[in-house]
Amino acid sequence: MKTPYFLISEEVLNKNIKDFQDALSQYWTNSILSYSVKTNSLPWLLKYLQQKNIAAETVSDEEYQLSRRCGFSDNEIIFNGPIKGEEQFADAIKKGAYINLDSKNDLVYLEKYATGDGSNIGIRINIDPEKFDKHDIGFVEDGFRFGFSDRAGDLSKVLQLYRSIWPKGKPGLHLHCNSVTRSLKVYQTIADYAAKLIKKYNLKLSYLDIGGGFFGGVEGKPTPENYIKIIKEALKDVMDERETTLIVEPGSAIIGSAIDLYTSVLDVKDTSHIRVVTTDG
């Protein structure tokens, strides 16, 4: 077989999918399992996942359009990221995609193109890194780049904008954290912070998107059941799963342990210091 190519174990892939589906079915039946397209955007893979009733989580116009071409309907797409094109934003909101607001441009587009009841519109939260254990987060000093900060007052302003458009609407919240350890404590902290914001702003949510970054299919590491159980425990007193959809966005947890990249060695040469191996990968 001509290299380079990805070799995917369908058996492992299906087990990783089933582990998440089973965990959600046990702890939060009103849920959406989505796949982070940026992790690996092979069209075969996207088509396969769409047939498994998994949504597509996208962070660019290009990923959104690729997902559409691979069979996802707009209401099966979660549109994240701080750089959404105006045309794509307008089309996505019109056709019912889940849109998580993440920039001031998004707010401008929202005012221009808002339609529907607002239940597919979420607000991405910028979480203070100080809320996490230092060993879990690799960039405590700089903080996270994405989302709107409650401490800085931006979250309050975005909620005011949302309520001016949909006075009786139920927004979504999106909280994602890039962690070093992917520990259960990270997701407990995220869920605890979501609960705090729900109480502070007296929110009735249409959905809570807890992001990705999970382990999956890795022996000795937390399982999807471990993650979803601890998220449920942190939220059970502030959220009714019958009324609020839980969204998760695993990428590598679904595909990482199921895929290998095969390449061929094109050249080997020795220098005075090292051996240099060139592949077609």
Side-chain angles (χ1 to χ4, degrees):
M1 186 178 296
K2 182 176 174 56
T3 58
Y5 63 86
F6 287 113
L7 182 65
I8 300 174
S9 167
E10 192 170 2
E11 180 181 356
V12 175
L13 178 62
N14 286 337
K15 183 180 185 308
N16 291 344
I17 293 169
K18 187 174 186 299
D19 285 347
F20 270 99
Q21 290 175 332
D22 288 349
L24 290 167
S25 177
Q26 181 176 356
Y27 294 105
W28 207 294
T29 53
N30 178 18
S31 58
I32 296 174
L33 173 59
S34 64
Y35 170 72
S36 170
V37 171
K38 62 180 172 293
T39 306
N40 189 307
S41 56
L42 280 175
W44 178 90
L45 177 62
L46 298 184
K47 292 175 183 177
Y48 187 89
L49 295 175
Q50 193 277 332
Q51 292 167 5
K52 294 283 187 180
N53 297 316
I54 296 173
E57 184 265 322
T58 66
V59 296
S60 67
D61 293 6
E62 291 79 11
E63 286 185 5
Y64 192 109
Q65 292 156 15
L66 174 62
S67 298
R68 289 284 291 121
R69 293 183 66 178
C70 289
F72 291 91
S73 60
D74 293 85
N75 61 10
E76 295 174 320
I77 297 176
I78 299 162
F79 197 12
N80 289 329
I83 309 176
K84 304 178 183 75
E86 182 172 359
E87 184 177 346
Q88 186 62 70
F89 186 104
D91 191 54
I93 196 171
K94 177 182 178 181
K95 294 180 179 176
Y98 291 88
I99 300 175
N100 289 316
L101 307 171
D102 197 9
S103 70
K104 292 182 179 178
N105 279 339
D106 285 355
L107 305 183
V108 173
Y109 302 155
L110 183 69
E111 289 189 275
K112 289 179 68 173
Y113 301 109
T115 186
D117 63 4
S119 62
N120 62 322
I121 303 299
I123 303 166
R124 185 165 187 180
I125 307 300
N126 183 277
I127 311 175
D128 296 330
E130 294 85 359
K131 296 186 179 299
F132 300 92
D133 288 343
K134 287 187 176 181
H135 76 279
D136 286 325
I137 306 298
F139 30 82
V140 174
E141 292 183 2
D142 294 333
F144 301 113
R145 293 173 291 166
F146 303 118
F148 297 96
S149 169
D150 181 45
R151 181 190 290 183
D154 284 343
L155 174 58
S156 176
K157 293 175 184 177
V158 178
L159 282 169
Q160 287 176 16
L161 173 61
Y162 179 94
R163 287 165 171 163
S164 72
I165 299 171
W166 296 288
K168 297 182 179 180
K170 292 173 34 175
L173 289 185
H174 181 278
L175 298 94
H176 172 81
C177 167
N178 296 318
S179 74
V180 175
T181 62
R182 308 187 185 195
S183 73
L184 294 174
K185 193 163 179 24
V186 168
Y187 292 87
Q188 182 176 6
T189 300
I190 293 172
D192 285 342
Y193 189 50
K196 177 182 177 181
L197 293 177
I198 289 167
K199 291 178 182 177
K200 178 177 179 178
Y201 291 102
N202 191 27
L203 295 173
K204 300 293 184 183
L205 299 181
S206 62
Y207 67 87
L208 177 66
D209 188 333
I210 212 78
F214 307 96
F215 276 117
V218 182
E219 189 174 349
K221 299 298 184 180
T223 66
E225 181 181 354
N226 297 148
Y227 287 119
I228 305 304
K229 182 179 180 181
I230 204 166
I231 291 168
K232 172 67 175 287
E233 282 296 313
L235 294 170
K236 65 181 181 181
D237 293 334
V238 298
M239 196 179 297
D240 186 341
E241 68 173 272
R242 294 169 298 180
E243 298 179 3
T244 303
T245 303
L246 178 68
I247 300 176
V248 293
E249 303 173 347
S252 61
I254 286 180
I255 192 62
S257 61
I259 194 166
D260 291 297
L261 172 63
Y262 281 76
T263 67
S264 296
V265 175
L266 302 179
D267 185 62
V268 178
K269 63 184 177 185
D270 294 316
T271 72
S272 59
H273 290 77
I274 58 171
R275 171 163 289 181
V276 181
V277 178
T278 304
T279 74
D280 60 359

